[in-house]
Amino acid sequence: MLDVAAPARSLFQGLRPQQPDVLLSLIALYREDPRPQKIDLGVGVYRDAAGDTPVFSAVKAAEAVLLETQPTKSYLGPEGDLRFLELIGPVIFGQGAASQDLFGVQTPGGTGALRLAAELANAGTPGARIWLGTPSWPIHAPIFAQAGLSVSTYRYFDPRTQTVCFDEMMTALGGVEPGDVVLLHGCCHNPAGADLNLDQWRAVADLLAKRGAVPLIDLAYQGLGAGLDEDAAGLRLVLETVDTAMVAYSFDKNFGLYRERTGALFVRARGHADLVRSNILQLARCNWSMPPDHGAAVVRVVLEDAGLTAGWRAELDGMRQRLVSVRHALAEADPRLEPLCDQHGLFSLLSLTPAQVETMRRDHAVYMAGSGRINLAGLTADTVQPFVQALGACLSGDAQ
């Protein structure tokens, strides 16, 4: 008698369907909408007054230099471009800052830097706890959870009052323990646009130092808030105060290198520097082996040339000024939006229900995240007034 074969066991039978990324789904919905007056305030990319996401002139010039002079496409090593890391240091940490005790590695985007930081924390203390203010970038919590960290949350921002819940934040962080990680948005908070002031940064830094917690500062929008140095002021204050810190950095927005996946992770671990360095390199080697080079090479060429650096800074400042002007135009159009003038960067978080967000899309062709987050760069001089009118109708109930 022949044995009856056992039912085949599928490698993937334990998988469960995953919900599509809502923000990315908005791209398709917006593209398929035939209405000419449609407004896209969803996906978080910078757009100019013409609605385009341009390549920086300084980036184009740097790419031309690379085209003519780059001698090889060979591997760089798991650290990435060391000269790139050296040059970006003063931009982040300040000229003359004591950054010699900071070890940096190039990463695939700021997301890669966050993941590497999370895996480093989990390797040092399996299941380590990370504190996350809410709301936050929707991918923050999944990155940390999938890396093995335990995620604790506290309320950071109140959309109704458009204010930072600082007292609640300090009360929550009063419960951190030595070795806990605390995620902080360096500037231009995503999704709220509401940042800590310097006095608040100082209070947080002192608390973390006292409690022995480790700040992980996500700096993804430097230069789009109040200026390059101003946007890094809180980070620099924290690094002056604590002995151990991690900084995840993205070049997507402030160099326009969205597709190039260019980022960096910097870690300070006084007393454990060599141990941390060897583990970072091993984790990076197992994750991506060698980081993608083109974006980092572009940044390096820009920062090595004084003229290109000046051009980059001017372009970045023009982007910042455009975002500021949009905020002021919204406040002038509707006094209820005046708090947006005190916020920074691409985003603000409106106090809207999912049903109201759907009404904005269905009845007015205004596309935004279900949370009420809007990308200010999606607005122009021609669309501010239609957006405000649609928002007013929705809030008053006329569009229900």
Side-chain angles (χ1 to χ4, degrees):
M1 179 179 294
L2 296 175
D3 292 334
V4 178
R9 179 178 176 86
S10 170
L11 173 64
F12 305 115
Q13 67 183 22
L15 296 181
R16 297 291 179 268
Q18 300 296 309
Q19 294 298 318
D21 187 288
V22 176
L23 275 177
L24 298 184
S25 298
L26 280 177
I27 297 176
L29 289 173
Y30 177 82
R31 183 174 58 243
E32 295 165 3
D33 191 330
R35 290 175 287 185
Q37 77 276 19
K38 61 186 179 181
I39 301 173
D40 182 8
L41 307 181
V43 179
V45 299
Y46 175 80
R47 292 188 175 93
D48 62 18
D52 300 322
T53 303
V55 180
F56 279 60
S57 297
V59 167
K60 284 284 192 182
E63 289 179 320
V65 171
L66 287 172
L67 179 64
E68 295 298 325
T69 65
Q70 190 174 50
T72 181
K73 294 288 188 180
S74 184
Y75 294 126
L76 288 171
E79 300 99 327
D81 187 329
L82 297 179
R83 179 62 174 156
F84 152 81
L85 293 167
E86 177 186 349
L87 289 167
I88 197 62
V91 176
I92 303 171
F93 306 110
Q95 294 288 342
S99 59
Q100 64 271 16
D101 57 349
L102 284 161
F103 173 67
V105 293
Q106 183 185 328
T107 62
T111 307
L114 289 166
R115 176 68 186 218
L116 187 58
E119 291 195 7
L120 178 66
N122 191 61
T125 303
R129 180 166 56 171
I130 185 166
W131 295 77
L132 184 65
T134 60
S136 194
W137 184 41
I139 309 302
H140 272 146
I143 288 173
F144 302 138
Q146 289 191 20
L149 300 184
S150 172
V151 179
S152 292
T153 62
Y154 60 88
R155 190 168 74 140
Y156 172 83
F157 179 77
D158 183 350
R160 184 181 58 83
T161 62
Q162 290 291 304
T163 56
V164 173
C165 306
F166 187 67
D167 290 342
E168 290 187 45
M169 175 181 181
M170 292 299 287
T171 298
L173 295 184
V176 302
E177 298 177 355
D180 282 1
V181 181
V182 177
L183 188 283
L184 300 169
H185 295 238
C187 69
C188 304
H189 187 281
N190 180 7
D195 298 328
L196 302 177
N197 62 42
L198 278 182
D199 287 338
Q200 291 170 333
W201 273 108
R202 186 171 292 105
V204 170
D206 289 342
L207 185 151
L208 297 183
K210 179 180 178 180
R211 304 292 300 181
V214 178
L216 168 54
I217 302 176
D218 186 359
L219 189 58
Y221 306 96
Q222 187 185 6
L224 290 177
L228 280 169
D229 288 324
E230 294 85 349
D231 289 347
L235 175 151
R236 295 172 187 177
L237 195 155
V238 170
L239 291 181
E240 291 172 0
T241 308
V242 303
D243 288 330
T244 304
M246 298 184 285
V247 176
Y249 196 90
S250 171
F251 297 82
D252 285 7
K253 273 72 175 182
N254 64 3
F255 273 85
L257 294 170
Y258 299 91
R259 297 179 182 177
E260 308 303 343
R261 309 312 301 135
T262 307
L265 174 67
F266 291 89
V267 179
R268 172 197 283 161
R270 288 172 176 162
H272 304 282
D274 290 339
L275 186 62
V276 166
R277 180 181 184 277
S278 66
N279 276 269
I280 290 176
L281 294 178
Q282 178 63 18
L283 290 168
R285 178 76 165 129
C286 292
N287 272 290
W288 46 76
S289 187
M290 314 290 174
D293 173 59
H294 183 74
V298 166
V299 173
R300 170 175 51 78
V301 171
V302 169
L303 295 181
E304 283 180 328
D305 184 288
L308 291 181
T309 300
W312 164 65
R313 285 176 173 264
E315 289 181 85
L316 182 60
D317 194 54
M319 293 165 61
R320 182 188 64 80
Q321 291 176 4
R322 168 168 148 67
L323 294 172
V324 170
S325 70
V326 170
R327 292 183 180 278
H328 283 280
L330 287 171
E332 291 174 6
D334 190 331
R336 290 175 294 184
L337 298 176
E338 287 181 358
L340 274 61
C341 291
D342 296 324
Q343 299 166 4
H344 302 101
L346 289 172
F347 307 119
S348 284
L349 184 64
L350 303 182
S351 182
L352 296 174
T353 66
Q356 289 172 320
V357 170
E358 172 62 20
T359 296
M360 292 286 285
R361 183 188 67 79
R362 184 188 65 241
D363 295 351
H364 303 283
V366 176
Y367 287 78
M368 66 179 73
S371 63
R373 189 197 81 170
I374 59 171
N375 176 6
L376 281 298
L379 291 169
T380 67
D382 293 331
T383 59
V384 164
Q385 196 62 43
F387 167 74
V388 170
Q389 291 174 350
L391 182 63
C394 185
L395 292 176
S396 68
D398 294 341
Q400 300 300 316

